[in-house]
Amino acid sequence: MSAVTIKKLTKRFKKRTAVDGIDLKIREGEFFALLGTNGAGKTTTIKMLSCLLEPTSGDAELMGNSIMKHSHAVKPIINVSPQETAIASKLSVLENLELIARIYGSSALEATRKAHEMLQTFRLTERAKDRAASLSGGMQRRLSIAMALITKPQILFLDEPTLGLDVHARRDLWNTIRELKGKITIILTTHYLEEAESLADRIGIMHRGKMEMVGTAAEITNATGTNNLEEAFLSIEDKEVV
């Protein structure tokens, strides 16, 4: 079953076309990476799929629900961990998690129970009472993802989750994200080649708003006649079309 079906999805801002008629299917439970340089259209695509930005044309269905016609049915089954770490810095780690659970309708008791589950899952229990502002960048991103998952979404969007992190923090967060594979449909945006190759089941390479190629890392390198994903990516960027 397809968790996400995208049909000619397009977004224009005056004279600039940010996303240009992309078509794509993502399977339920798949970990899919949108790979591209800054300005390729990745974040704009995520904003449309998560009903934060209305498409200029085209549509997408998430678990059978149209983002254009049934956004009210889409929103309860998704969540987003955005580029900007979405935490309340003055609240504690536990309070951040409880807040999101309460916003989504949990009772106080249930919110606390769910929050403690997320603390354990994301190895944050020892920092539960600390202010979120005191966490390292990597731990803040981990908390942000935990906050997105506490609502038990069917589809999770991770928009550049390791942006700005050092190598060690990035690798640590990869391990956390990798543990989610197969449990939920995940759509990751990144411009880190090694991140897409390490984490994703399939990769979609975006360039100037177009979906230039979709497949596993091996399928993409074979199709481009290159030796690795980096060479394949550069060949697509250089040629601008494949």
Side-chain angles (χ1 to χ4, degrees), residues 24-25 27 30-35 196-197 200-206 211-223 229 236:
L24 179 66
K25 286 190 176 182
R27 298 184 296 270
E30 184 174 15
F31 195 129
F32 189 90
L34 282 176
L35 178 63
E197 189 166 17
D201 298 312
R202 287 191 306 150
I203 299 165
I205 298 180
M206 292 192 71
M211 187 69 71
E212 296 289 1
M213 187 164 288
V214 176
T216 64
E219 288 169 345
I220 291 172
T221 55
N222 287 337
L229 187 60
I236 291 170

Side-chain angles (χ1 to χ4, degrees), residues 13-33:
F13 297 98
K14 296 183 178 179
K15 295 181 178 180
R16 183 175 69 89
T17 301
V19 177
D20 193 359
I22 64 173
D23 293 290
L24 179 66
K25 286 190 176 182
I26 298 172
R27 298 184 296 270
E28 191 172 353
E30 184 174 15
F31 195 129
F32 189 90

Side-chain angles (χ1 to χ4, degrees), residues 5-9 22 55 57-61 66-69:
T5 301
I6 301 174
K7 308 170 185 176
K8 304 298 180 187
L9 195 63
I22 64 173
S57 61
D59 199 357
E61 293 182 355
S66 164
I67 61 173
M68 296 294 286
K69 299 176 183 177

Side-chain angles (χ1 to χ4, degrees), residues 100-144:
I100 298 301
R102 292 301 304 273
I103 288 173
Y104 276 79
S106 294
S107 66
L109 187 63
E110 186 180 18
T112 299
R113 179 186 62 79
K114 288 181 176 180
H116 281 285
E117 284 181 1
M118 289 294 105
L119 288 171
Q120 186 172 3
T121 299
F122 285 87
R123 301 183 296 280
L124 290 166
T125 302
E126 292 184 359
R127 305 296 301 271
K129 295 182 179 180
D130 295 345
R131 282 193 177 189
S134 71
L135 300 180
S136 66
M139 293 187 79
Q140 286 188 7
R141 294 290 173 89
R142 204 188 301 169
L143 173 58
S144 180

